Amino acid sequence: MISLINGIVRSIGVDRAVVEVGGVGLAVSITSSTSSQLNLGTPVQLFTSLVVREDSLTLFGFLDEDSRSAFEL
């Protein structure tokens, strides 16, 4: 499980950001509230939850552990 990522914000959308971690861009699903707090080219730490389904792997990102815990409930 991927539970935390640290990297540089390379792209920001309303519901998705791309964070470069070790030369690899990870697409992370985020809320609009989280999106508004990110800035291009700046470092970010996101607490994450990886949701595995038959047809997809989706990485959800949160600015704090409490938000991630609420999501996982």
Side-chain angles (χ1 to χ4, degrees):
M1 172 165 215
I2 301 169
S3 60
L4 179 74
I5 62 172
N6 285 294
I8 304 297
V9 178
R10 295 298 181 198
S11 173
I12 304 169
V14 176
D15 64 347
R16 180 165 298 195
V18 175
V19 179
E20 183 180 336
V21 179
V24 176
L26 299 176
V28 183
S29 293
I30 56 175
T31 64
S32 58
S33 172
T34 298
S35 174
S36 69
Q37 296 181 55
L38 299 179
N39 295 304
L40 283 175
T42 61
V44 68
Q45 175 176 280
L46 294 174
F47 296 89
T48 60
S49 180
L50 180 62
V51 175
V52 179
R53 296 197 174 119
E54 184 176 319
D55 60 344
S56 68
L57 297 171
T58 307
L59 190 61
F60 292 90
F62 307 92
L63 293 173
D64 57 61
E65 288 184 89
D66 292 338
S67 297
R68 178 183 59 189
S69 295
F71 171 80
E72 291 178 340
L73 288 176

